[in-house]
Amino acid sequence: VFEVRFGLRIAQSARDSPVVDSVTSSSKLGWLWPLTIALLIFVASSRAIVAAPRISGIDKASHFSVYGLLATLVCRQGQGWRAAGWSLLAVSAYGASDEWHQSFVPGRSPEFFDWIADTAGAAVAVALHVGWGRYRTWLEQPVGARPRRIENPAVAPRVGGP
């Protein structure tokens, strides 16, 4: 294990990883979420008009975020950098196929920079997931199990009298 700038610890192999996923690559149920997100992407790109705010760059941010989510979900099905590489390759290829699919949808057109945003989001997501153990641990905790944090207990609101 070696330190990288900003305090990220990169595991050299899957055995160095402090987290063992609750959903393993052999679990068919583990593929439910990645396939659901992929289906939602396909359905959204099949529509001639997509509702989106008119904010400059929101399209690329959406591509980055959604494909980052998809890559994280795919990456969870394996362990280590090898799974991350395959996840990145698969999600990038899916992004390219989605852009090609849009060329057949009336009112839509493929955009090279959408694919770049897809791939960049996937790359950042898998690098964070595999390379930063604390982030991966945080992602794998059930939402209800996360501890609540009080920034300054001395300033915490009091219940009751003066």
Side-chain angles (χ1 to χ4, degrees):
V1 179
F2 60 94
E3 288 283 329
V4 179
R5 292 179 81 180
F6 309 113
L8 298 178
R9 293 175 51 88
I10 307 285
Q12 292 174 342
S13 68
R15 67 182 155 77
D16 292 337
S17 175
V19 174
V20 177
D21 289 77
S22 58
V23 179
T24 63
S25 59
S26 62
S27 171
K28 292 179 184 175
L29 187 60
W31 285 100
L32 177 65
W33 286 113
L35 292 174
T36 300
I37 297 298
L39 179 64
L40 289 173
I41 291 170
F42 180 81
V43 168
S45 67
S46 297
R47 299 181 57 123
I49 299 172
V50 177
R54 300 217 182 263
I55 300 172
S56 178
I58 195 76
D59 175 47
K60 303 304 181 257
S62 297
H63 278 265
F64 185 92
S65 301
V66 170
Y67 279 85
L69 171 63
L70 179 60
T72 300
L73 294 171
V74 171
C75 189
R76 289 183 68 220
Q77 304 312 307
Q79 289 185 350
W81 287 105
R82 185 177 200 143
W86 283 110
S87 299
L88 176 58
L89 183 65
V91 171
S92 179
Y94 186 73
S97 72
D98 181 52
E99 292 303 317
W100 177 68
H101 165 249
Q102 288 181 23
S103 69
F104 300 105
V105 177
R108 301 291 297 268
S109 62
E111 290 188 35
F112 176 73
F113 288 106
D114 282 352
W115 175 73
I116 294 295
D118 299 342
T119 303
V124 168
V126 298
L128 284 173
H129 189 266
V130 175
W132 193 7
R134 180 177 269 177
Y135 173 75
R136 187 174 52 253
T137 301
W138 180 78
L139 282 179
E140 297 299 328
Q141 286 180 347
V143 175
R146 294 183 183 160
R148 296 180 78 185
R149 200 170 107 188
I150 298 175
E151 292 295 327
N152 187 353
V155 184
R158 292 184 189 186
V159 178

